[in-house]
Amino acid sequence: MPRTDTLARQESRLAYRLISPTLLIVLVVVVLPVIWTISLAFQDVRLINLRDAGFFGEYNLDNFSTVFGSSGFWSSLWITVVYTVGATLGSIAIGLVAALALRRPFRGRGLLRAAMLLPYVAPVVAATFVWSVALNPQFGIVNAWGTRFLGWDEPVPFLSQRDYSVGLFGVDVTVPLALLTVIAFEAWRYFPFAFLFLIARLQALPGELDEAAVVDGTSIWQRFRHITLPQLMPVIALLTILRFIFTFNKFDDVYLLTGGGAGTEVVSIRVYEFLTARTDIGAAAAQSLVLAAVLTVFIAVYLRTAGARGETS
C-alpha cells in the first residue's frame, strides 16, 4: 500500500511538471493582461502618465462614469447587439444552405467546397477593399448594374449613408443602410466557418433515416424539419455561441468598411477611439470591461435558455 501511494505521488508530480509550462504561458499571456486591464479601468490613466501606473494605484469609478455618461454609449451598445445578432444568424443561415446544397456528391463538388472557403481565408483588408470598390456610388459595379438593369434612379451610397428610404408595397420604410451592409459583409465573410461545421455533421448522418423517410412518402421539407435539423441543432447551438462571441468583439471589419460612421459605431470602435483619439487608457479599459460584462450576460442567458430547452425535450 505505501508503494502504491508513492507511485501515485510521483505520477502526480510528473503531471504538474508537464503542465507547468502551459500554465506559465496562460498566466503571462492571459491572466496578467486581464488583471492589468481591470486595474487600469479603476485608475485615472492616460497615455502621458502610463509609465507611472501600477497595480496598486488610486482606485475610483470615474472611468465608468465617463463611459456610461458619454454621448452615444447606449446607441453604440444597441448597434453592437443588432450587428452581432444579424451577422451571427446570417452566417449560420448561409452556411446551412451551402452545406445542404453540397451534401450530395456530384461532379465538381470538391472544387465548389474549396471555393466556399475563399471569403474566410482571404485577408480582411483585401475583402473589405473589394466590397468598398464594388459598392462605391461613383464607379462601383453594384451601382452600375443597379442603375442600368434594376431601374435605380440614382446610385446608392451603401457604406456612407445612415438611413435609406425603401418603398415596399407602396409604403416608404426607412432602413439602416450602412449597418445592414456591414451585417451582410460579416455574414458573407464568415459563413464558411459555419459551413465547415455543418457539412462535417451532415456527412456523419446515417443515410438510412433519409431513405426510410423517402419510402414513407415524406417531402423534402418534412425530412429536413424532422430528421436533418434536429441532428444539426447541437452544432448550430455551438456555432451560435462562437459566432456571437467573435462578432460581438469585432473591430477590423467595421472599421475598414465605414470607420464607425453612418450608424455603424460598435462598442469596440468606441474603445479604440477612447484609446487613440482621447488617449484615455483608463476609460478604454473600463469600456472593454463593460463590453465583456454585456457579452457574459448574453452568453449566460443563451446557455440557460438552451439548457432549459434540452431538459424539456
Side-chain angles (χ1 to χ4, degrees):
M1 193 70 177
R3 183 176 181 181
T4 305
D5 292 341
T6 303
L7 183 60
R9 291 178 182 177
Q10 290 177 352
E11 292 179 349
S12 178
R13 292 173 183 172
L14 177 61
Y16 283 123
R17 293 191 189 118
L18 292 175
I19 66 173
S20 58
T22 303
L23 293 177
L24 181 62
I25 293 174
V26 171
L27 177 65
V28 174
V29 176
V30 178
V31 177
L32 289 181
V34 170
I35 296 175
W36 178 241
T37 301
I38 296 174
S39 174
L40 292 177
F42 291 93
Q43 300 183 61
D44 184 16
V45 180
R46 294 184 176 273
L47 187 61
I48 194 173
N49 63 340
L50 177 62
R51 304 179 81 180
D52 300 330
F55 285 107
F56 305 101
E58 297 181 2
Y59 293 97
N60 55 66
L61 298 176
D62 293 344
N63 291 324
F64 292 93
S65 300
T66 301
V67 169
F68 289 115
S70 60
S71 60
F73 168 74
W74 297 107
S75 63
S76 68
L77 184 60
W78 172 248
I79 290 171
T80 304
V81 172
V82 173
Y83 164 71
T84 303
V85 172
T88 299
L89 296 179
S91 62
I92 295 176
I94 300 175
L96 177 60
V97 172
L100 292 173
L102 300 180
R103 180 184 182 184
R104 305 296 181 186
F106 58 88
R107 186 183 299 272
R109 185 181 66 165
L111 181 61
L112 283 178
R113 283 185 174 183
M116 288 290 179
L117 303 179
L118 288 178
Y120 189 63
V121 300
V124 62
V125 176
T128 53
F129 177 77
V130 169
W131 272 62
S132 299
V133 173
L135 298 176
N136 190 284
Q138 296 180 352
F139 49 80
I141 188 174
V142 174
N143 279 291
W145 285 5
T147 54
R148 181 176 301 178
F149 303 114
L150 301 179
W152 295 358
D153 296 330
E154 57 184 11
V156 180
F158 288 96
L159 296 174
S160 58
Q161 185 164 337
R162 184 187 185 100
D163 298 318
Y164 188 78
S165 181
V166 179
L168 294 176
F169 306 104
V171 179
D172 290 336
V173 180
T174 302
V175 296
L177 181 61
L179 181 60
L180 290 178
T181 305
V182 171
I183 291 175
F185 173 83
E186 190 76 10
W188 166 81
R189 176 163 168 75
Y190 292 101
F191 88 86
F193 183 82
F195 168 77
L196 290 175
F197 279 73
L198 294 171
I199 196 65
R201 184 67 184 99
L202 284 173
Q203 295 301 317
L205 296 182
E208 294 80 3
L209 296 177
D210 272 345
E211 294 174 0
V214 171
V215 173
D216 291 338
T218 58
S219 63
I220 296 178
W221 168 249
Q222 288 174 330
R223 294 199 300 271
F224 171 74
R225 180 182 178 184
H226 298 289
I227 297 177
T228 305
L229 186 60
Q231 299 185 70
L232 291 178
M233 285 309 297
V235 178
I236 292 176
L238 175 62
L239 284 171
T240 302
I241 295 176
L242 294 178
R243 287 306 320 152
F244 194 95
I245 294 174
F246 297 157
T247 309
F248 199 85
N249 294 312
K250 264 295 171 184
F251 166 79
D252 50 356
D253 293 353
V254 182
Y255 189 79
L256 290 172
L257 284 173
T258 65
T264 62
E265 186 185 43
V266 293
V267 177
S268 57
I269 290 182
R270 288 180 61 86
V271 175
Y272 176 78
E273 290 179 350
F274 271 112
L275 184 62
T276 58
R278 306 187 185 184
T279 66
D280 194 342
I281 298 177
Q287 182 91 56
S288 64
L289 289 185
V290 172
L291 182 66
V294 173
L295 179 61
T296 302
V297 170
F298 275 111
I299 297 300
V301 171
Y302 175 81
L303 292 177
R304 186 169 183 177
T305 302
R309 289 179 179 176
E311 293 177 358
T312 55
S313 60

